[in-house]
């Protein structure tokens, strides 16, 4: 569990969207990570993470696709169910996958209802601003908490063409600020800002009353999110400037597997104590 000297919210038994709002008001940074399975989610929750995102990055890190586009609603629900089973304290947010909410608010509502009903998650996250507002409104009208996602929105990678930093030009920066206000006004409980200039993220965080969570958006936001497999050093190919690696698990795992192979081949394993 998290130590009380680093969090005023250590004793909170369940993180809700209201707790996140309180964290913003009390200047406590929100710690968010992705998880896609029971075992990892359990470790994150026990360590005291505030928010777990069942991200559609599962498409990349769990399924090996080159983008987030292929993952399906059924697959996201499978990951979400596994995560929710593990969680006692963290707020669980589930990404709505590509093609389940864009351009059709009725389908958006049906998709969000399936996620909430079948997984027991606490909220959904969707990418975009003005263009998806009707879907946001309809999902919110059913009482489902919605988190926005602006800046680099990986589901639009074929429109952007690259994963470079977004909103460096004034026109795109202005649209991002406008979109953040629209999402707040619509009733979103928070917004993820991905890979945008730190100064712009600071401006949005100052103007918007709901929590702003950054990934590659600098320190002047209300919290941070990273993809678990990146911060643990399981993925190796992906190393943007914003990523801090807390471990080099890819080497450790491969080292352990090599030791196991050696022990099996040399009949060092199992030994006398490891048999019946
Ligand atoms: O899917 C994901 O992991 C995300 C984070 C990068 C915010 O959306």
């Amino acid at each position: 569990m998290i130590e009380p000297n680093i969090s005023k919210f250590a004793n909170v038994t369940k993180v809700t969207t209201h707790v996140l709002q309180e964290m913003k008001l009390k200047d406590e940074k929100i710690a968010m990570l992705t998880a896609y399975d029971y075992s990892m989610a359990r470790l994150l929750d026990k360590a005291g993470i505030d928010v777990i995102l069942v991200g559609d990055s599962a498409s990349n890190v769990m399924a090996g696709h080159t983008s987030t586009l292929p993952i399906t609603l059924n697959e996201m629900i499978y990951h979400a169910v596994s995560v929710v089973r593990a969680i006692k304290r963290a707020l669980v947010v589930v990404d709505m996958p590509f093609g389940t909410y864009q351009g059709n608010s009725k389908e958006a509502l049906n998709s969000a209802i399936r996620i909430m009903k079948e997984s027991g998650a606490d909220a959904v996250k969707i990418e975009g601003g003005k263009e998806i507002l009707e879907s946001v409104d309809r999902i919110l009208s059913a009482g489902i908490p919605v988190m926005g996602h602006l800046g680099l929105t990986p589901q639009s990678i074929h429109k952007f063409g690259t994963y470079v930093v977004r909103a460096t030009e004034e026109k795109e920066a202005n649209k991002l600020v406008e979109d953040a206000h629209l999402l707040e006004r619509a009733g979103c409980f928070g917004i993820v800002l991905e890979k945008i200039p730190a100064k712009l993220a600071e401006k949005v965080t100052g103007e918007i009353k709901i929590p702003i969570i950054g990934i590659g958006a600098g320190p002047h936001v209300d919290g941070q999110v990273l993809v678990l497999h990146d911060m643990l050093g399981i993925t190796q190919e992906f190393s943007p400037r914003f990523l801090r690696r807390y471990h080099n698990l890819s080497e450790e795992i491969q080292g352990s597997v090599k030791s196991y192979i050696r022990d099996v081949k040399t009949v060092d394993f199992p030994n006398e104590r490891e048999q019946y």
Side-chain angles (χ1 to χ4, degrees), residues 35-56:
Y36 320 99
D37 69 284
Y38 174 84
S39 303
M40 285 291 191
R42 192 145 183 261
L43 295 176
L44 266 51
D45 195 51
K46 281 185 165 181
I49 198 77
D50 298 312
V51 184
I52 290 187
L53 172 66
V54 184
D56 59 357

Side-chain angles (χ1 to χ4, degrees), residues 34 36 53 55-57 95 125 127 149 192 194 215 225 227:
T34 64
Y36 320 99
L53 172 66
D56 59 357
S57 48
D95 261 337
K125 174 165 86 60
E127 295 182 5
H149 184 155
V192 167
E194 181 164 353
I215 171 164
V225 57
V227 169

Side-chain angles (χ1 to χ4, degrees), residues 86-275:
I87 301 307
K88 290 202 163 77
R89 178 181 180 273
L91 181 89
V92 180
V93 182
V94 181
D95 261 337
M96 294 187 61
F98 177 68
T100 64
Y101 61 90
Q102 294 98 334
N104 184 340
S105 63
K106 282 191 184 151
E107 190 178 349
L109 177 58
N110 289 338
S111 310
I113 287 176
R114 275 202 62 201
I115 290 172
M116 299 299 282
K117 230 183 180 25
E118 295 175 37
S119 76
D122 301 308
V124 297
K125 174 165 86 60
I126 55 185
E127 295 182 5
K130 194 172 176 204
E131 31 323 297
I132 51 115
L133 215 56
E134 198 182 307
S135 294
V136 171
D137 276 337
R138 205 178 270 257
I139 296 169
L140 283 165
S141 72
I144 298 171
V146 178
M147 180 170 230
H149 184 155
L150 299 171
L152 176 62
T153 46
Q155 291 180 14
S156 307
I157 187 58
H158 295 302
K159 183 172 126 200
F160 296 148
T162 91
Y163 287 98
V164 293
V165 63
R166 305 300 312 172
T168 51
E169 304 291 333
E170 198 180 340
K171 191 170 166 216
E172 194 181 338
N174 289 342
K175 175 171 173 6
L176 187 144
V177 175
E178 222 175 89
D179 282 342
H181 280 283
L182 287 174
L183 292 173
E184 177 181 39
R185 244 177 272 136
C188 286
F189 72 88
I191 300 172
V192 167
L193 293 183
E194 181 164 353
K195 216 169 177 187
I196 62 164
K199 278 256 171 301
L200 178 60
E202 182 176 10
K203 175 179 158 69
V204 174
T205 306
E207 286 183 16
I208 301 287
K209 302 276 178 292
I210 55 175
I212 303 294
I213 311 293
I215 171 164
H220 305 296
V221 287
D222 302 307
Q224 299 290 336
V225 57
L226 284 176
V227 169
L228 184 68
H229 290 59
D230 297 337
M231 63 85 82
L232 290 178
I234 296 173
T235 48
Q236 287 175 300
E237 314 73 30
F238 184 68
S239 43
R241 188 199 304 186
F242 68 75
L243 174 61
R244 183 177 293 182
R245 285 197 206 283
Y246 287 82
H247 232 294
N248 194 348
L249 272 194
S250 66
E251 271 185 17
E252 292 203 20
I253 291 171
Q254 287 181 80
S256 303
V257 173
K258 279 181 185 163
S259 301
Y260 170 71
I261 294 169
R262 186 197 56 225
D263 292 351
V264 170
K265 303 271 182 202
T266 59
V267 202
D268 178 77
F269 173 78
N271 64 25
E272 274 177 21
R273 280 172 286 111
E274 292 163 333
Q275 57 184 280

